[in-house]
């Protein structure tokens, strides 16, 4: 409608031209570029209201490091008797106060614009392995917790329960290194093909003080391991709850007691939001990156669309 009302946590205005200008600004303007919206669900509430759930991403152009901004949330479209939208009401999952102008929203925006000094420094020191586990963020909460949908992956994994102390960890790590190969040692896989180091490397803890390791294969690569102690597997698409632990000093909490506390906290927080953990009790996955690690819990939710 000509007098459509738009609100989100940062804006409130009326009028179709301002509405169009706002969309254009997010898509490509002096401030933003590469705007992308993933629409996850649409729910027709009644003849006058339609709800949608989405993930919105865009790149902020003025800063040299060009930060990628990401928000998840919902939109309520309110329509008149002619079927024209008279209200477009956005809310972000990360905020407790979505009323414009929300101070929380300003802080969220500013925090995403800051440069990732820890990540840049870690990659300069430890190398920049490609991240080969693409995902879509379905929820981004204010406490740093995310729910992501990971696509199918090929992994080479060590035997379940093989890792239980430092020596067994080093042994399993070496098996995966030999599988990949390098400039000095021939790759011990069916194609004798040297494979690049990738991120994340995974450690799957059973909850019984033992675990297994996994190497995530780069796209297009699937040579079988020569060692009978390794297995090539296909991991299907899945939902993963992720705790916010990457960054400078994150490894300080990587003790048995610290990891148990992180798992309990992550499970409790996502349970409040309607997600159910599908891992065994006390089980979790550590996803290791150059700048620290993330804790992953496999989750499910009967209705992923509009629950908080």
């Amino acid at each position: 409608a000509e007098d459509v009302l738009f609100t989100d946590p940062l804006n409130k205005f009326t009028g179709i031209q301002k509405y169009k200008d706002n969309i254009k600004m997010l898509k490509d303007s002096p401030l933003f570029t590469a705007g992308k919206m993933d629409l996850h669900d649409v729910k027709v509430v009644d003849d006058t209201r339609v709800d949608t759930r989405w993930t919105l991403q865009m790149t902020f152009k003025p800063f040299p490091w060009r930060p990628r901004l990401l928000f998840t949330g919902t939109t309520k479209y309110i329509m008149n008797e002619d079927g024209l939208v008279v209200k477009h009401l956005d809310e972000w999952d990360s905020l407790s106060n979505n009323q414009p102008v929300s101070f929380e929203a300003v802080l969220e925006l500013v925090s995403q614009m800051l440069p990732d000094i820890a990540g840049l420094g870690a990659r300069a020191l430890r190398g920049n392995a490609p991240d080969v586990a693409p995902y879509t963020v379905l929820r981004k909460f204010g406490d740093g917790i995310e729910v992501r949908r990971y696509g199918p992956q090929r992994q080479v994994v060590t035997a379940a329960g093989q890792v239980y102390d430092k020596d067994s960890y080093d042994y399993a790590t070496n098996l995966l290194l030999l599988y990949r190969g390098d400039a000095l040692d021939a790759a011990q896989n069916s194609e004798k093909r040297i494979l690049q180091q990738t991120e994340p490397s995974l450690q799957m803890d059973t909850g019984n003080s033992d675990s297994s390791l996994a190497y995530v294969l780069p796209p297009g690569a699937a040579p079988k391991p020569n060692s009978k102690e390794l297995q090539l597997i296909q991991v299907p698409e899945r939902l993963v709850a992720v705790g916010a632990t990457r960054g400078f000093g994150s490894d300080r909490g990587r003790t048995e007691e610290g990891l148990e506390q992180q798992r309990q906290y992550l499970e409790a927080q996502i349970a409040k939001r309607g997600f159910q953990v599908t891992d065994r009790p006390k089980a979790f996955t550590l996803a290791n990156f150059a700048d620290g690690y993330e804790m992953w819990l496999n989750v499910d939710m009967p209705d992923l669309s509009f629950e908080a």
Side-chain angles (χ1 to χ4, degrees):
E2 287 294 328
D3 59 349
V4 59
L5 169 68
F6 175 89
T7 70
D8 71 10
L10 292 172
N11 298 280
K12 181 177 181 180
F13 55 78
T14 302
I16 188 66
Q17 189 57 51
K18 290 182 178 178
Y19 186 87
K20 291 179 179 179
D21 291 343
N22 185 61
I23 295 174
K24 184 178 180 181
M25 176 190 69
L26 297 178
K27 186 177 181 181
D28 195 11
S29 70
L31 290 178
F32 301 104
T33 189
K36 179 186 178 185
M37 175 171 281
D38 292 313
L39 186 63
H40 305 307
D41 212 337
V42 178
K43 181 179 181 180
V44 179
V45 179
D46 54 37
D47 291 342
T48 63
R49 176 177 156 188
V50 174
D51 293 352
T52 65
R53 171 159 285 286
W54 41 261
T55 299
L56 176 65
Q57 300 180 66
M58 67 204 79
T59 298
F60 188 65
K61 292 167 69 174
F63 291 165
W65 54 92
R66 295 173 71 87
R68 188 72 173 162
L69 312 180
L70 187 148
F71 308 91
T72 68
T74 59
T75 298
K76 293 182 178 66
Y77 294 98
I78 309 300
M79 294 165 287
N80 61 19
E81 59 185 10
D82 296 322
L84 299 177
V85 175
V86 294
K87 293 182 180 180
H88 175 137
L89 312 175
D90 282 355
E91 293 188 351
W92 299 354
D93 294 322
S94 57
L95 307 181
S96 59
N97 174 23
N98 272 281
Q99 296 302 310
V101 170
S102 167
F103 184 62
E104 269 189 278
V106 175
L107 291 179
E108 172 71 16
L109 180 65
V110 171
S111 70
Q112 293 196 38
M113 289 182 172
L114 298 176
D116 181 10
I117 301 297
L120 294 172
R123 279 165 172 74
L125 291 172
R126 302 179 185 177
N128 191 19
D131 189 334
V132 293
Y135 59 85
T136 299
V137 178
L138 302 180
R139 295 284 201 284
K140 182 179 178 66
F141 299 114
D143 50 11
I145 293 173
E146 294 182 351
V147 176
R148 303 172 182 168
R149 178 186 288 123
Y150 278 89
Q153 300 171 4
R154 289 191 181 97
Q155 298 178 2
V156 171
V157 299
T158 63
Q162 184 176 14
V163 177
Y164 49 86
D165 60 14
K166 183 180 185 302
D167 289 341
S168 59
Y169 179 88
D170 291 343
Y171 179 79
T173 299
N174 191 57
L175 283 176
L176 293 174
L177 289 174
L178 292 173
Y179 167 77
R180 288 197 293 108
D182 58 26
L184 299 177
D185 296 303
Q188 295 185 15
N189 59 59
S190 59
E191 299 177 10
K192 297 182 179 179
R193 174 182 174 185
I194 295 177
L195 300 169
Q196 65 189 138
Q197 181 179 354
T198 62
E199 288 189 344
S201 60
L202 304 178
Q203 181 173 355
M204 290 81 72
D205 194 296
T206 65
N208 295 320
S209 299
D210 57 39
S211 60
S212 56
L213 305 184
Y215 164 69
V216 183
L217 286 155
K224 296 179 180 179
N226 294 347
S227 172
K228 294 181 180 179
E229 296 181 89
L230 298 176
Q231 184 180 5
L232 175 65
I233 65 171
Q234 178 77 24
V235 179
E237 180 180 277
R238 55 183 172 153
L239 296 182
V240 174
V242 181
T245 49
R246 288 173 69 177
F248 179 75
S250 63
D251 281 346
R252 294 172 186 170
R254 196 164 174 161
T255 63
E256 186 172 344
E257 181 181 358
L259 292 174
E260 183 178 353
Q261 291 174 351
Q262 289 176 36
R263 190 201 186 283
Q264 290 174 353
Y265 176 79
L266 178 57
E267 182 172 14
Q269 293 305 308
I270 60 175
K272 291 179 183 178
R273 286 131 176 175
F275 292 87
Q276 293 92 43
V277 174
T278 58
D279 290 315
R280 293 172 51 186
K282 297 187 177 181
F284 58 87
T285 295
L286 294 183
N288 299 291
F289 299 84
D291 61 336
Y293 70 95
E294 297 173 339
M295 177 170 285
W296 291 3
L297 295 180
N298 291 304
V299 297
D300 192 15
M301 183 173 178
D303 179 10
L304 188 60
S305 53
F306 298 100
E307 295 296 327

